[in-house]
């Protein structure tokens, strides 16, 4: 328990000289955003994910088998725009590979624009999720999440992919003391799971009891704060900025 708490504290407030600098807490914010956004897409856009592509592949199989309440087209569109966003994130990662802070700042700024556009779309619709609104939101959110996932992969911070928890949970169990492992970064892994859960809980509350605009606005605000903080922290000679090897 002590090791877990110490590691969690180091994730939230990295010690001076940490090779990832402020990236871990910033990426936890992105993990929170993922929970909120997937709550919007699953609960508000007809049972489709825009960040969890494993879920979409499974849903596509279910839909093609005739399962009710699922749309094969929505899953295909979400997969397609996610890959497009990931492609853009990959290109951005190559272009800004020399400075991880600048990469995160630019990508979260782009995400803020996409989430802001999604919030405006939902507001203009006045709470009515027509087919046009549904697919517009899927496209905007899928692009943002694909971009985020690709950039998180390029940043290379262990156990903080921001959109996928399967490997994080596996590592938490497989590398634990009872399994004979050395239990590296237990606090970070637990935090990632808890933050995703919190984002999903908050997002679901806003979608079910308030409005899509509220959830999308919160996600956009979190991204804006992340972008602003990253710009502020990203000095040209930041020791944590170079890519990991």
């Amino acid at each position: 328990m002590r090791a877990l708490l110490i590691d969690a504290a180091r994730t939230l407030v990295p010690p001076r000289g940490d090779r990832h600098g402020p990236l871990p807490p910033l990426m936890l914010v992105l993990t929170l955003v993922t929970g909120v956004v997937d709550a919007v897409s699953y609960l508000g856009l007809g049972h489709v994910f825009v960040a969890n592509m494993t879920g979409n592949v499974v849903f596509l199989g279910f839909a093609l088998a005739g399962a009710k309440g699922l749309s094969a087209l929505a899953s295909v569109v979400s997969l397609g725009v996610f890959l497009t966003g990931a492609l853009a994130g990959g290109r951005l990662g190559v272009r800004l590979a020399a400075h991880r802070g600048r990469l995160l700042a630019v990508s979260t700024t782009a995400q803020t624009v996409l989430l802001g556009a999604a919030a405006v779309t939902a507001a203009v619709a006045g709470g009515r999720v027509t087919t046009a609104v549904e697919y517009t939101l899927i496209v905007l959110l899928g692009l943002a999440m694909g971009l985020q996932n690709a950039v998180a992969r390029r940043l290379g911070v262990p156990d903080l992919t921001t959109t996928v928890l399967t490997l994080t949970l596996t590592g938490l169990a497989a590398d634990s003391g009872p399994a004979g492992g050395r239990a590296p970064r237990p606090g970070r892994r637990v935090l990632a799971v808890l933050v995703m859960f919190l984002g999903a809980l908050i997002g679901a509350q806003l979608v079910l009891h308030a409005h899509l605009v509220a959830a999308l606005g919160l996600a956009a605000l979190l991204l804006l704060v992340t972008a602003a903080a990253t710009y502020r922290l990203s000095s040209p000679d930041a020791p944590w900025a170079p890519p990991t090897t």
Side-chain angles (χ1 to χ4, degrees):
M1 178 61 72
R2 182 181 179 185
L4 188 151
L5 292 175
I6 291 174
D7 186 57
R10 287 177 175 173
T11 299
L12 294 172
V13 185
R16 185 180 297 274
D18 184 271
R19 70 191 184 105
H20 295 299
L23 290 176
L26 292 171
M27 294 179 73
L28 282 174
V29 178
L30 297 185
T31 304
L32 183 67
V33 169
T34 297
V36 174
V37 169
D38 259 345
V40 170
S41 66
Y42 185 82
L43 298 174
L45 304 179
H47 295 174
V48 64
F49 286 117
V50 293
N52 180 4
M53 290 301 109
T54 301
N56 273 338
V57 171
V58 173
F59 286 168
L60 178 59
F62 291 168
L64 292 177
K68 295 181 179 179
L70 297 173
S71 168
L73 179 59
S75 293
V76 169
V77 170
S78 185
L79 283 163
V81 295
F82 182 91
L83 289 173
T84 302
L87 175 64
R91 291 181 64 87
L92 188 64
V94 171
R95 185 172 182 180
L96 301 177
H99 198 292
R100 292 191 293 169
R102 191 169 299 120
L103 171 59
L104 181 59
V106 172
S107 66
T108 49
T109 298
Q111 283 185 267
T112 302
V113 173
L114 290 167
L115 266 292
V120 170
T121 299
V124 171
R128 295 184 302 109
V129 182
T130 62
T131 300
V133 170
E134 176 186 345
Y135 281 96
T136 299
L137 293 179
I138 288 174
V139 168
L140 292 170
L141 298 178
L143 287 172
M145 291 298 103
L147 174 63
Q148 177 177 305
N149 202 58
V151 169
R153 183 172 180 269
R154 174 70 66 168
L155 293 175
V157 181
D159 300 310
L160 289 176
T161 63
T162 77
T163 61
V164 181
L165 290 180
T166 302
L167 290 178
T168 302
L169 287 166
T170 301
L172 190 62
D175 298 336
S176 65
R182 301 177 63 182
R185 302 177 299 275
R188 178 182 297 180
R189 291 169 173 177
V190 170
L191 277 175
V193 174
L194 291 177
V195 168
M196 181 79 79
F197 167 79
L198 181 62
L201 178 62
I202 294 172
Q205 287 286 340
L206 292 175
V207 172
L208 296 175
H209 305 295
H211 197 288
L212 283 180
V213 177
L216 292 169
L218 173 61
L221 178 61
L222 290 170
L223 288 167
L224 179 61
V225 170
T226 303
T230 308
Y231 274 115
R232 183 176 180 83
L233 295 169
S234 297
S235 60
D237 57 347
W240 50 270
T244 57
T245 55

